Amino acid sequence: MTKLDLLYIPDSALHEKAKEVSSVNDEIRDILDNMMDIMYEHNGIGLAGNQVGVLKRLVVIDCPIDEADEEEDAESLKYKMVNPKITWHSKEKTTRQEGCLSIPTGLADIERPTEISVEYLDEKGKKQTLKTGGLLSACIQHEIDHLNGILYTDYLSKLKRDMIYKKVKKYLKGQK
Ligand code: NI
């Protein structure tokens, strides 16, 4: 398949709602693999379909382990998720600094529920459930927001958002 490219703000695909995937087939697995490659290429920890112009509910994650996920026996938490859906979230919230591959150089403190339960289909089409806190929880919430056309900058004041966008525009201009 054709290689996908990372999209940056202000691309309109970043503000669209991605559609449910009806069947996890080879085409979907190809896209997920491609998304993983793009995520690693740009040193990201998560990527959603919208960010490569694929308006399907697809998310890839390779998230470093932090204290909250300490019990996990792995170096990082790697997931390919199809149709991920948050089925529960804690009342308790945590603020973390977030960035986004589509908003290079931008960073901001974002408050989200600390813990979540998420349901998704894995790359074999098997239903999975995951309960998690820590960085992975924030990462999954950030990526599911992407699928709904929401960027973390949408949670900021217009002033703060404009400041970040201006900086990103300047940075992207310098990359050309
Ligand atoms: Ni992002």
Side-chain angles (χ1 to χ4, degrees):
M1 68 173 284
T2 42
K3 196 182 169 292
L4 302 169
D5 283 316
L6 180 62
L7 302 180
Y8 300 101
I9 53 161
D11 197 291
S12 62
L14 297 171
H15 286 292
E16 282 182 53
K17 200 173 159 147
K19 291 200 167 68
E20 293 260 327
V21 172
S22 53
S23 125
V24 186
N25 53 27
D26 285 344
E27 188 207 343
I28 295 297
R29 280 184 281 272
D30 259 2
I31 297 171
L32 288 166
D33 286 343
N34 214 318
M35 284 170 63
M36 273 280 180
D37 291 344
I38 294 169
M39 178 180 75
Y40 289 135
E41 205 178 300
H42 294 271
N43 300 311
I45 61 171
L47 190 73
N50 301 49
Q51 293 180 276
V52 292
V54 176
L55 293 174
K56 296 180 195 293
R57 301 189 81 79
L58 300 173
V59 162
V60 295
I61 284 170
D62 192 343
C63 183
I65 291 180
D66 70 7
E67 292 149 37
D69 295 305
E70 206 158 52
E71 73 278 9
E72 299 276 346
D73 183 25
E75 278 176 22
S76 66
L77 303 165
K78 211 163 157 176
Y79 296 96
K80 290 174 180 170
M81 296 182 170
V82 178
N83 301 337
K85 198 178 164 194
I86 292 167
T87 53
W88 170 85
H89 64 79
S90 64
K91 284 202 181 93
E92 191 202 340
K93 292 184 174 183
T94 301
T95 301
R96 287 171 189 277
Q97 193 176 57
E98 292 189 20
C100 179
L101 290 184
S102 295
I103 313 173
T105 74
L107 286 172
D109 283 341
I110 302 294
E111 186 187 60
R112 299 184 186 271
T114 308
E115 284 186 288
I116 56 162
S117 288
V118 62
E119 266 181 26
Y120 64 96
L121 299 176
D122 65 18
E123 62 183 324
K124 287 173 185 154
K126 197 175 160 216
K127 193 169 158 180
Q128 302 285 352
T129 317
L130 172 71
K131 186 175 179 216
T132 181
L135 180 60
L136 178 63
S137 164
C139 185
I140 292 170
Q141 293 178 71
H142 174 117
E143 300 313 330
I144 291 178
D145 270 357
H146 271 301
L147 301 180
N148 294 324
I150 297 165
L151 301 174
Y152 78 82
T153 43
D154 294 332
Y155 297 119
L156 306 173
S157 67
K158 188 178 181 300
L159 183 75
K160 217 164 175 186
R161 183 166 55 242
D162 287 350
M163 264 168 62
I164 290 178
Y165 278 32
K166 216 170 139 185
K167 203 173 148 201
V168 173
K169 215 171 149 187
K170 207 172 151 190
Y171 169 81
L172 291 173
K173 223 172 162 182
Q175 292 294 99
K176 276 175 195 159

PDB file of all heavy atoms in Angstrom, residues 51 99-101 142-143 146, ligand 1:
ATOM      1  N   GLN A  51      -4.292  11.255  12.169  1.00  0.00           N
ATOM      2  CA  GLN A  51      -2.998  11.931  12.020  1.00  0.00           C
ATOM      3  C   GLN A  51      -2.231  11.518  10.772  1.00  0.00           C
ATOM      4  O   GLN A  51      -1.240  12.147  10.418  1.00  0.00           O
ATOM      5  CB  GLN A  51      -2.126  11.667  13.257  1.00  0.00           C
ATOM      6  CG  GLN A  51      -2.679  12.305  14.513  1.00  0.00           C
ATOM      7  CD  GLN A  51      -1.791  12.010  15.691  1.00  0.00           C
ATOM      8  OE1 GLN A  51      -1.917  10.960  16.308  1.00  0.00           O
ATOM      9  NE2 GLN A  51      -0.867  12.909  15.995  1.00  0.00           N
ATOM     10  N   GLY A  99       2.160  16.482  24.581  1.00  0.00           N
ATOM     11  CA  GLY A  99       2.555  16.982  23.280  1.00  0.00           C
ATOM     12  C   GLY A  99       1.815  16.144  22.250  1.00  0.00           C
ATOM     13  O   GLY A  99       1.050  15.248  22.610  1.00  0.00           O
ATOM     14  N   CYS A 100       2.031  16.422  20.988  1.00  0.00           N
ATOM     15  CA  CYS A 100       1.342  15.688  19.935  1.00  0.00           C
ATOM     16  C   CYS A 100       2.192  15.760  18.672  1.00  0.00           C
ATOM     17  O   CYS A 100       2.713  16.824  18.344  1.00  0.00           O
ATOM     18  CB  CYS A 100      -0.015  16.322  19.692  1.00  0.00           C
ATOM     19  SG  CYS A 100      -0.958  15.526  18.396  1.00  0.00           S
ATOM     20  N   LEU A 101       2.330  14.626  17.982  1.00  0.00           N
ATOM     21  CA  LEU A 101       3.164  14.615  16.769  1.00  0.00           C
ATOM     22  C   LEU A 101       2.634  15.579  15.710  1.00  0.00           C
ATOM     23  O   LEU A 101       3.406  16.082  14.896  1.00  0.00           O
ATOM     24  CB  LEU A 101       3.236  13.202  16.188  1.00  0.00           C
ATOM     25  CG  LEU A 101       4.024  12.185  17.001  1.00  0.00           C
ATOM     26  CD1 LEU A 101       4.094  10.860  16.260  1.00  0.00           C
ATOM     27  CD2 LEU A 101       5.419  12.685  17.318  1.00  0.00           C
ATOM     28  N   HIS A 142      -5.759  10.650  24.991  1.00  0.00           N
ATOM     29  CA  HIS A 142      -5.310  11.609  23.963  1.00  0.00           C
ATOM     30  C   HIS A 142      -5.582  11.060  22.560  1.00  0.00           C
ATOM     31  O   HIS A 142      -6.086  11.774  21.691  1.00  0.00           O
ATOM     32  CB  HIS A 142      -3.809  11.877  24.187  1.00  0.00           C
ATOM     33  CG  HIS A 142      -3.141  12.730  23.160  1.00  0.00           C
ATOM     34  ND1 HIS A 142      -2.574  13.959  23.467  1.00  0.00           N
ATOM     35  CD2 HIS A 142      -2.913  12.549  21.832  1.00  0.00           C
ATOM     36  CE1 HIS A 142      -2.046  14.480  22.359  1.00  0.00           C
ATOM     37  NE2 HIS A 142      -2.229  13.647  21.355  1.00  0.00           N
ATOM     38  N   GLU A 143      -5.278   9.771  22.362  1.00  0.00           N
ATOM     39  CA  GLU A 143      -5.462   9.170  21.031  1.00  0.00           C
ATOM     40  C   GLU A 143      -6.943   9.008  20.683  1.00  0.00           C
ATOM     41  O   GLU A 143      -7.341   9.217  19.535  1.00  0.00           O
ATOM     42  CB  GLU A 143      -4.743   7.812  20.937  1.00  0.00           C
ATOM     43  CG  GLU A 143      -3.238   7.845  21.165  1.00  0.00           C
ATOM     44  CD  GLU A 143      -2.501   8.926  20.400  1.00  0.00           C
ATOM     45  OE1 GLU A 143      -2.946   9.313  19.301  1.00  0.00           O
ATOM     46  OE2 GLU A 143      -1.486   9.421  20.913  1.00  0.00           O
ATOM     47  N   HIS A 146      -8.283  12.135  19.424  1.00  0.00           N
ATOM     48  CA  HIS A 146      -7.956  12.323  18.001  1.00  0.00           C
ATOM     49  C   HIS A 146      -9.045  11.724  17.112  1.00  0.00           C
ATOM     50  O   HIS A 146      -9.445  12.321  16.115  1.00  0.00           O
ATOM     51  CB  HIS A 146      -6.634  11.625  17.648  1.00  0.00           C
ATOM     52  CG  HIS A 146      -5.417  12.484  17.836  1.00  0.00           C
ATOM     53  ND1 HIS A 146      -5.236  13.681  17.183  1.00  0.00           N
ATOM     54  CD2 HIS A 146      -4.303  12.307  18.586  1.00  0.00           C
ATOM     55  CE1 HIS A 146      -4.064  14.205  17.531  1.00  0.00           C
ATOM     56  NE2 HIS A 146      -3.478  13.384  18.392  1.00  0.00           N
TER      57      HIS A 146
HETATM   58 NI    NI B   1      -1.652  13.586  19.342  1.00  0.00          NI
END
